[in-house]
């Protein structure tokens, strides 16, 4: 079980830099990993409670809800 906040639905559409800053502030035990949704990147396995996947679009906006994965 992961500690602290594990999802940030309120960050959908936000600029990636702002989103990363908010995630780091709200849960200092995690590290955001930024991935472009237009690239064919498989989901990392296994779940890592210290990693938050932040998928962005080509405009550097959060495209999916950032979650601990």
């Amino acid at each position: 079980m992961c500690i602290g906040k594990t999802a940030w639905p309120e960050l959908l559409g936000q600029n990636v830099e702002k989103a990363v800053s908010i995630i780091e502030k709200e849960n200092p035990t995690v590290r955001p990993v930024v991935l472009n949704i237009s690239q064919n990147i498989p989901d990392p396995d296994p779940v890592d409670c210290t990693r938050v996947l932040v998928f962005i679009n080509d405009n550097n906006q959060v495209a999916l809800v950032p979650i601990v994965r």
Side-chain angles (χ1 to χ4, degrees):
M1 182 163 220
C2 300
I3 298 170
K5 190 169 182 175
T6 59
W8 287 262
E10 69 276 13
L11 297 181
L12 275 175
Q14 291 289 328
N15 172 274
V16 66
E17 292 171 6
K18 180 178 179 181
V20 165
S21 175
I22 290 170
I23 292 167
E24 291 172 337
K25 180 180 177 185
E26 292 186 356
N27 189 344
T29 67
V30 299
R31 63 180 168 75
V33 175
V34 177
L35 302 169
N36 191 310
I37 198 166
S38 66
Q39 297 175 354
N40 197 9
I41 302 170
D43 282 343
D45 272 336
V47 171
D48 179 347
C49 285
T50 66
R51 177 182 60 212
V52 176
L53 298 183
V54 183
F55 287 95
I56 61 169
N57 60 26
D58 291 332
N59 296 320
N60 289 326
Q61 295 173 313
V62 177
L64 296 174
V65 173
I67 58 170
V68 171
R69 285 276 305 260

